[in-house]
PDB file of all heavy atoms in Angstrom:
ATOM      1  N   THR A 574      81.489 137.533  60.787  1.00  0.00           N
ATOM      2  CA  THR A 574      81.066 138.399  61.893  1.00  0.00           C
ATOM      3  C   THR A 574      81.166 139.878  61.562  1.00  0.00           C
ATOM      4  O   THR A 574      81.073 140.717  62.440  1.00  0.00           O
ATOM      5  CB  THR A 574      81.886 138.100  63.162  1.00  0.00           C
ATOM      6  OG1 THR A 574      83.273 138.305  62.867  1.00  0.00           O
ATOM      7  CG2 THR A 574      81.663 136.676  63.628  1.00  0.00           C
ATOM      8  N   GLY A 575      81.366 140.192  60.293  1.00  0.00           N
ATOM      9  CA  GLY A 575      81.435 141.585  59.866  1.00  0.00           C
ATOM     10  C   GLY A 575      82.040 141.683  58.477  1.00  0.00           C
ATOM     11  O   GLY A 575      82.501 140.684  57.912  1.00  0.00           O
ATOM     12  N   VAL A 576      82.047 142.892  57.929  1.00  0.00           N
ATOM     13  CA  VAL A 576      82.550 143.111  56.570  1.00  0.00           C
ATOM     14  C   VAL A 576      84.028 142.752  56.473  1.00  0.00           C
ATOM     15  O   VAL A 576      84.455 142.109  55.513  1.00  0.00           O
ATOM     16  CB  VAL A 576      82.303 144.570  56.131  1.00  0.00           C
ATOM     17  CG1 VAL A 576      82.952 144.855  54.783  1.00  0.00           C
ATOM     18  CG2 VAL A 576      80.823 144.860  56.075  1.00  0.00           C
ATOM     19  N   ASP A 577      84.842 143.149  57.461  1.00  0.00           N
ATOM     20  CA  ASP A 577      86.273 142.833  57.418  1.00  0.00           C
ATOM     21  C   ASP A 577      86.491 141.329  57.425  1.00  0.00           C
ATOM     22  O   ASP A 577      87.343 140.809  56.709  1.00  0.00           O
ATOM     23  CB  ASP A 577      87.006 143.472  58.591  1.00  0.00           C
ATOM     24  CG  ASP A 577      87.091 144.985  58.475  1.00  0.00           C
ATOM     25  OD1 ASP A 577      86.940 145.511  57.354  1.00  0.00           O
ATOM     26  OD2 ASP A 577      87.295 145.646  59.510  1.00  0.00           O
ATOM     27  N   ASP A 578      85.713 140.632  58.233  1.00  0.00           N
ATOM     28  CA  ASP A 578      85.807 139.177  58.322  1.00  0.00           C
ATOM     29  C   ASP A 578      85.450 138.547  56.979  1.00  0.00           C
ATOM     30  O   ASP A 578      86.145 137.645  56.495  1.00  0.00           O
ATOM     31  CB  ASP A 578      84.844 138.694  59.415  1.00  0.00           C
ATOM     32  CG  ASP A 578      85.200 137.338  59.959  1.00  0.00           C
ATOM     33  OD1 ASP A 578      86.390 136.968  59.910  1.00  0.00           O
ATOM     34  OD2 ASP A 578      84.289 136.658  60.452  1.00  0.00           O
ATOM     35  N   MET A 579      84.392 139.018  56.348  1.00  0.00           N
ATOM     36  CA  MET A 579      83.969 138.471  55.060  1.00  0.00           C
ATOM     37  C   MET A 579      85.035 138.741  53.996  1.00  0.00           C
ATOM     38  O   MET A 579      85.366 137.844  53.214  1.00  0.00           O
ATOM     39  CB  MET A 579      82.635 139.065  54.637  1.00  0.00           C
ATOM     40  CG  MET A 579      82.095 138.431  53.387  1.00  0.00           C
ATOM     41  SD  MET A 579      80.367 138.806  53.209  1.00  0.00           S
ATOM     42  CE  MET A 579      80.133 138.420  51.508  1.00  0.00           C
ATOM     43  N   SER A 580      85.584 139.935  53.978  1.00  0.00           N
ATOM     44  CA  SER A 580      86.644 140.262  53.016  1.00  0.00           C
ATOM     45  C   SER A 580      87.852 139.355  53.213  1.00  0.00           C
ATOM     46  O   SER A 580      88.424 138.862  52.243  1.00  0.00           O
ATOM     47  CB  SER A 580      87.072 141.722  53.159  1.00  0.00           C
ATOM     48  OG  SER A 580      86.041 142.564  52.744  1.00  0.00           O
ATOM     49  N   ARG A 581      88.226 139.111  54.458  1.00  0.00           N
ATOM     50  CA  ARG A 581      89.366 138.243  54.754  1.00  0.00           C
ATOM     51  C   ARG A 581      89.103 136.825  54.234  1.00  0.00           C
ATOM     52  O   ARG A 581      89.955 136.218  53.599  1.00  0.00           O
ATOM     53  CB  ARG A 581      89.628 138.212  56.259  1.00  0.00           C
ATOM     54  CG  ARG A 581      90.808 137.355  56.664  1.00  0.00           C
ATOM     55  CD  ARG A 581      90.978 137.296  58.176  1.00  0.00           C
ATOM     56  NE  ARG A 581      89.769 136.890  58.886  1.00  0.00           N
ATOM     57  CZ  ARG A 581      89.327 135.623  58.979  1.00  0.00           C
ATOM     58  NH1 ARG A 581      90.003 134.654  58.407  1.00  0.00           N
ATOM     59  NH2 ARG A 581      88.235 135.344  59.655  1.00  0.00           N
ATOM     60  N   LEU A 582      87.910 136.305  54.487  1.00  0.00           N
ATOM     61  CA  LEU A 582      87.569 134.961  54.022  1.00  0.00           C
ATOM     62  C   LEU A 582      87.562 134.890  52.491  1.00  0.00           C
ATOM     63  O   LEU A 582      88.037 133.915  51.912  1.00  0.00           O
ATOM     64  CB  LEU A 582      86.219 134.525  54.582  1.00  0.00           C
ATOM     65  CG  LEU A 582      86.195 134.235  56.081  1.00  0.00           C
ATOM     66  CD1 LEU A 582      84.754 134.085  56.572  1.00  0.00           C
ATOM     67  CD2 LEU A 582      87.002 132.993  56.407  1.00  0.00           C
ATOM     68  N   LEU A 583      87.045 135.929  51.842  1.00  0.00           N
ATOM     69  CA  LEU A 583      87.005 135.947  50.375  1.00  0.00           C
ATOM     70  C   LEU A 583      88.399 136.072  49.771  1.00  0.00           C
ATOM     71  O   LEU A 583      88.661 135.558  48.683  1.00  0.00           O
ATOM     72  CB  LEU A 583      86.113 137.080  49.876  1.00  0.00           C
ATOM     73  CG  LEU A 583      84.617 136.872  50.072  1.00  0.00           C
ATOM     74  CD1 LEU A 583      83.854 138.135  49.710  1.00  0.00           C
ATOM     75  CD2 LEU A 583      84.111 135.684  49.271  1.00  0.00           C
ATOM     76  N   ASP A 584      89.301 136.734  50.473  1.00  0.00           N
ATOM     77  CA  ASP A 584      90.649 136.939  49.954  1.00  0.00           C
ATOM     78  C   ASP A 584      91.566 135.730  50.158  1.00  0.00           C
ATOM     79  O   ASP A 584      92.679 135.715  49.653  1.00  0.00           O
ATOM     80  CB  ASP A 584      91.294 138.168  50.606  1.00  0.00           C
ATOM     81  CG  ASP A 584      90.707 139.473  50.082  1.00  0.00           C
ATOM     82  OD1 ASP A 584      90.086 139.456  49.009  1.00  0.00           O
ATOM     83  OD2 ASP A 584      90.877 140.501  50.765  1.00  0.00           O
ATOM     84  N   HIS A 585      91.118 134.739  50.900  1.00  0.00           N
ATOM     85  CA  HIS A 585      91.997 133.613  51.228  1.00  0.00           C
ATOM     86  C   HIS A 585      91.447 132.279  50.748  1.00  0.00           C
ATOM     87  O   HIS A 585      90.843 131.525  51.502  1.00  0.00           O
ATOM     88  CB  HIS A 585      92.266 133.567  52.741  1.00  0.00           C
ATOM     89  CG  HIS A 585      93.131 134.675  53.202  1.00  0.00           C
ATOM     90  ND1 HIS A 585      92.620 135.879  53.620  1.00  0.00           N
ATOM     91  CD2 HIS A 585      94.470 134.797  53.249  1.00  0.00           C
ATOM     92  CE1 HIS A 585      93.614 136.682  53.929  1.00  0.00           C
ATOM     93  NE2 HIS A 585      94.746 136.054  53.719  1.00  0.00           N
TER      94      HIS A 585
END
Side-chain angles (χ1 to χ4, degrees):
T574 59
V576 174
D577 290 340
D578 202 27
M579 186 164 163
S580 292
R581 181 183 53 78
L582 290 169
L583 288 172
D584 286 341
H585 290 90

